[in-house]
Amino acid sequence: MICPRCHSQVAEGIKFCGTCGSPLQSPTPPPPPARAAYPPPNQGAYTPPNQGVYTPQNQYEEYSNSMFGNSVPKAELHNPKGPIQIADMTISIDGELVPVVDIMLGNQMPIYFEHHILLWKHPGVQIGFKSLQGAARRFFAGLQIFITEAHGPGNISFSRDSVGQIVALRLQPGQTVEVREHQFLVASGNVDYGFTFVQNAANILFSRTGLFIDQFTARGGEGIVLLHGYGNVFEKMLAPGEALDVEPGAWLWKDPSVQMTVTTVAGSQRGGGILGAIGGLVAGASIVLNRFVGPGRVGIQSMTYHPPTTEGAPQAGGQSNLNLNLGDLF
């Protein structure tokens, strides 16, 4: 077999060129033999039941009939089944307990991703750094200044070291989604990666959200952001003024229209006096709760998020990364 891109000799049955990384199409299989009509024509028309076909629940959320219409990004939850096509890339989600995001990159649209989540890649995929806008502000805020960028063609895959589910957020030009820090996996190159400050000092001190929330905005065409939610991921849609109190660490993403404040477990009670407050405290895992007020949507994960341990830190059985010498990097 000859690679159509670089004209190198490739063995039969190989999916990717070992020289340039281009995908190779297998020879077209012969058409299946003709099958007899079912049932016989003299028994009348009959459509057999659709057996063995499974359509996963909530595979692709449609909001055309909701109050938000098409003004919010569409979310594909529960490890989307079937390939997702964005620009010249194809995204597939494999696995169940610890899902893998597998991306076939073309020549045009790059992707960027967080550090330490790369699982495998084809040698033809080029890895580099992508600088972010507002580098000085990000530096003083303690956020990432550089993230990793990948250019095709070729195959590349990602996974986070935790049980969970993948959420795919499709963003049309101008649409924005806000995501909890360190929970995004991959985004297409036409999606801007910024941040916004958490409002309210109580939010910062007690809600375990931190000082900042990641913001992703699509520019110049449809983009995509892939998130890893711990445990199972669910979506709550809030009407204008409707409130939802959520265990801190359990929210994953939200629409910018959803306001986030903080309330105590006792303050979340309708009444009951001191006994009601104690009962609410015993029922909850924290003294405080995040309160989300609509309109908009909130993504919720069933496992509480824990900030990642610094790689090589004593908690992980190693030494602090601050003691790392430059020679150790090569």
Side-chain angles (χ1 to χ4, degrees), residues 206-250:
F206 302 114
S207 69
R208 301 211 304 260
T209 298
L211 291 170
F212 309 98
I213 297 175
D214 289 337
Q215 274 190 334
F216 297 91
T217 304
R219 305 292 185 194
E222 184 183 30
I224 194 166
V225 178
L226 296 163
L227 314 178
H228 175 96
Y230 295 97
N232 296 311
V233 179
F234 306 90
E235 183 183 78
K236 294 293 185 181
M237 187 173 293
L238 303 177
E242 182 181 2
L244 185 69
D245 294 339
V246 179
E247 156 67 26

Side-chain angles (χ1 to χ4, degrees), residues 29 40 50 65 81 85 89 93 139 164 170 173 184 200 230 265-266 277 284 297 322:
N50 194 14
N65 296 325
K81 304 297 188 293
Q85 192 73 37
M89 71 177 71
I93 313 299
F139 176 80
R170 293 175 179 260
F184 110 90
N200 192 314
Y230 295 97
V265 173
R297 300 164 301 151
L322 295 178

Side-chain angles (χ1 to χ4, degrees), residues 1-317:
M1 181 186 299
I2 302 298
C3 174
R5 186 166 183 267
C6 66
H7 306 292
S8 299
Q9 185 71 33
V10 182
E12 294 293 336
I14 300 298
K15 295 183 177 180
F16 305 101
C17 175
T19 303
C20 69
S22 296
L24 302 175
Q25 296 183 350
S26 301
T28 304
R35 300 170 60 183
Y38 176 82
N42 58 357
Q43 294 185 12
Y46 170 75
T47 301
N50 194 14
Q51 297 178 354
V53 177
Y54 169 67
T55 301
Q57 181 184 9
N58 207 10
Q59 175 182 341
Y60 188 77
E61 292 289 344
E62 290 288 354
Y63 301 104
S64 57
N65 296 325
S66 75
M67 69 184 75
F68 306 111
N70 293 320
S71 62
V72 296
K74 291 180 171 60
E76 301 186 39
L77 311 180
H78 311 311
N79 296 339
K81 304 297 188 293
I84 301 172
Q85 192 73 37
I86 296 290
D88 63 341
M89 71 177 71
T90 303
I91 304 170
S92 301
I93 313 299
D94 300 320
E96 294 294 336
L97 293 179
V98 184
V100 173
V101 176
D102 187 87
I103 302 178
M104 176 57 66
L105 293 171
N107 293 293
Q108 301 175 0
M109 180 68 73
I111 59 172
Y112 60 88
F113 53 94
E114 266 206 343
H115 306 309
H116 312 305
I117 65 167
L118 174 64
L119 192 60
W120 68 70
K121 79 174 188 70
H122 190 275
V125 175
Q126 302 301 308
I127 297 293
F129 285 108
K130 175 184 175 69
S131 60
L132 300 174
Q133 294 182 353
R137 293 178 61 198
R138 298 184 70 91
F139 176 80
F140 288 109
L143 300 175
Q144 300 177 88
I145 301 176
F146 298 98
I147 57 175
T148 312
E149 187 174 54
H151 293 261
N155 173 250
I156 187 169
S157 295
F158 309 92
S159 179
R160 201 175 284 279
D161 295 335
S162 179
V163 173
Q165 290 184 333
I166 301 301
V167 177
L169 292 166
R170 293 175 179 260
L171 279 69
Q172 299 304 315
Q175 288 183 340
T176 298
V177 65
E178 297 183 345
V179 178
R180 193 184 194 95
E181 277 191 284
H182 301 298
Q183 292 206 243
F184 110 90
L185 286 176
V186 188
S188 55
N190 62 334
V191 174
D192 288 346
Y193 178 18
F195 65 93
T196 182
F197 290 93
V198 173
Q199 303 298 316
N200 192 314
N203 258 341
I204 298 172
L205 295 174
F206 302 114
S207 69
R208 301 211 304 260
T209 298
L211 291 170
F212 309 98
I213 297 175
D214 289 337
Q215 274 190 334
F216 297 91
T217 304
R219 305 292 185 194
E222 184 183 30
I224 194 166
V225 178
L226 296 163
L227 314 178
H228 175 96
Y230 295 97
N232 296 311
V233 179
F234 306 90
E235 183 183 78
K236 294 293 185 181
M237 187 173 293
L238 303 177
E242 182 181 2
L244 185 69
D245 294 339
V246 179
E247 156 67 26
W251 77 277
L252 174 60
W253 60 275
K254 71 182 186 71
D255 291 326
S257 58
V258 175
Q259 301 301 308
M260 185 179 73
T261 61
V262 69
T263 183
T264 63
V265 173
S268 183
Q269 298 284 97
R270 285 185 175 271
I274 185 64
L275 292 179
I278 294 175
L281 181 60
V282 171
S286 303
I287 299 176
V288 298
L289 298 172
N290 287 132
R291 172 164 290 180
F292 295 89
V293 181
R297 300 164 301 151
V298 180
I300 298 176
Q301 52 195 353
S302 61
M303 288 177 63
T304 302
Y305 168 74
H306 299 285
T309 302
T310 304
E311 186 173 324
Q315 300 95 310

